[in-house]
Amino acid sequence: MKKNIIVYSKPNCMQCNFTKKYLEDKGIPYEVKDIFESEEALNEVKELGFSSVPVITIEGHEAFNGFRPDLLDQLA
């Protein structure tokens, strides 16, 4: 079953880049929402209760932030 994964990101964010590379290396499709380009994306991050990126949302799971290979491994 394909899960809808969104990575909220911003430019020059190491943890964001690690997260995206990790998903790519595992062949897991995801969508990126840049909080610098989209005020809507920034508001979504704030509504989730986070003040830093990356924030990862996965259908059917609780959102989390930071580079978390332990949680990302559950998707693979």
Side-chain angles (χ1 to χ4, degrees), residues 3 5 19 22-23 26 28 50 54 56-58 61-76:
K3 296 195 184 296
I5 301 170
T19 299
Y22 191 89
L23 291 170
K26 298 273 185 191
I28 301 170
F50 296 103
I56 296 85
T57 61
I58 302 158
H61 294 270
E62 207 169 312
F64 61 91
N65 77 323
F67 177 53
R68 297 285 307 274
D70 54 327
L71 294 173
L72 295 171
D73 268 343
Q74 296 171 16
L75 306 172

Side-chain angles (χ1 to χ4, degrees), residues 18-69:
F18 285 144
T19 299
K20 292 184 279 192
K21 175 147 180 36
Y22 191 89
L23 291 170
E24 284 163 18
D25 288 349
K26 298 273 185 191
I28 301 170
Y30 63 94
E31 177 188 346
V32 174
K33 289 192 178 183
D34 189 320
I35 63 166
F36 272 42
E37 290 176 9
S38 165
E39 195 168 320
E40 182 187 344
L42 178 59
N43 289 334
E44 288 170 18
V45 166
K46 288 178 181 172
E47 280 172 21
L48 289 166
F50 296 103
S51 57
S52 63
V53 289
V55 171
I56 296 85
T57 61
I58 302 158
E59 219 174 295
H61 294 270
E62 207 169 312
F64 61 91
N65 77 323
F67 177 53
R68 297 285 307 274

